[in-house]
Amino acid sequence: MPKTIVTEEQWVQQGIERFEQGGVEELVIEKMAVSLGCSKSSFYWYFSSRASFIQQLIETWKERTTRQVIADSNVHATADEQIVEVLNRMFGTTQRGDFLFYLRKLSLKDEAYRVILNEVEQLRMEFMKQLLIQKGMHPEQAFQKSWMLYHYYLGWYERHKQEKLKDEDIQRHVELICKEWIFS
């Protein structure tokens, strides 16, 4: 059976999916090559090492789950609309694996990953803080609310990550958060 040509993006996507399911232990190049239907050597066409591959996975994940969410919410005119958009994205996505959990685990062993993890979490909380400030909230209160909201989200995701939630349940949840924490 002839091997297919696989793009760098396909390797990265496969890596993200595997990392979400089991962390770095799931990033076995031979197994990924078989899954992608290509030779192991195509991996080294794009990546100089497993470490550079892991770095690319994390950067791509950070772009998709943090920077892109922020950019997408910025198309909305008001801070209120942006907040609702971010909350819908946060609480509307389940069943995507445990990328953040495995990144946190990796960060315990390697300072470079701890720096990336902290950067992602700070970006997320700072963005919400700035939206809350735009709404007129005092900076210290905005910081506290964004911190609490992010940590609430981490627990909420852990509790619901295996569930397929209905859109109306997510909408009710976002409305409750807005009513009790944001717009009160």
Side-chain angles (χ1 to χ4, degrees):
M1 179 169 155
K3 299 289 182 185
T4 59
I5 297 174
V6 175
T7 66
E8 180 179 7
E9 176 58 33
Q10 288 172 303
W11 274 106
V12 169
Q13 185 59 40
Q14 173 84 193
I16 288 171
E17 290 168 9
R18 287 177 175 264
F19 190 87
E20 288 175 336
Q21 299 309 313
V24 292
E25 291 80 18
E26 289 295 314
L27 301 178
V28 179
I29 297 164
E30 294 84 3
K31 288 182 179 180
M32 291 190 305
V34 168
S35 178
L36 290 167
C38 66
S39 68
K40 177 180 163 181
S41 64
S42 79
F43 173 87
Y44 294 102
W45 180 260
Y46 301 111
F47 309 101
S48 60
S49 66
R50 189 167 180 260
S52 69
F53 178 61
I54 293 169
Q55 184 70 32
Q56 180 63 41
L57 298 180
I58 292 170
E59 288 300 322
T60 301
W61 169 82
K62 180 170 70 172
E63 178 65 31
R64 290 179 186 171
T65 64
T66 301
R67 291 192 179 117
Q68 192 59 51
V69 170
I70 290 170
D72 290 350
S73 76
N74 281 331
V75 302
H76 298 282
T78 68
D80 289 357
E81 291 170 338
Q82 288 179 301
I83 289 168
V84 169
E85 173 64 21
V86 169
L87 293 175
N88 278 317
R89 294 280 296 267
M90 284 171 66
F91 293 100
T93 308
T94 56
Q95 297 184 312
R96 68 172 172 223
D98 279 335
F99 198 101
L100 193 58
F101 169 81
Y102 289 112
L103 177 56
R104 195 173 307 284
K105 187 175 175 184
L106 189 59
S107 77
L108 296 174
K109 299 175 186 173
D110 189 323
E111 176 66 23
Y113 297 116
R114 189 171 317 124
V115 168
I116 293 169
L117 175 63
N118 287 338
E119 178 187 334
V120 166
E121 292 188 321
Q122 291 308 310
L123 272 170
R124 291 172 175 187
M125 288 184 281
E126 181 63 25
F127 181 68
M128 182 58 75
K129 175 186 159 192
Q130 291 306 318
L131 290 175
L132 294 172
I133 290 170
Q134 285 178 37
K135 288 186 53 50
M137 200 174 284
H138 184 273
E140 181 60 30
Q141 184 185 23
F143 167 76
Q144 290 171 355
K145 284 200 179 199
S146 68
W147 189 92
M148 287 185 338
L149 181 60
Y150 184 71
H151 288 83
Y152 169 76
Y153 162 73
L154 293 175
W156 182 92
Y157 182 77
E158 182 62 29
R159 169 68 176 81
H160 296 283
K161 67 184 175 186
Q162 303 301 324
E163 299 174 30
K164 174 91 171 108
L165 301 174
K166 296 177 184 170
D167 289 341
E168 56 268 13
D169 292 336
I170 294 164
Q171 200 59 42
R172 269 195 307 278
H173 189 72
V174 168
E175 288 170 5
L176 181 64
I177 290 170
C178 288
K179 178 183 170 200
E180 297 298 325
W181 281 1
I182 309 295
F183 304 131
S184 58

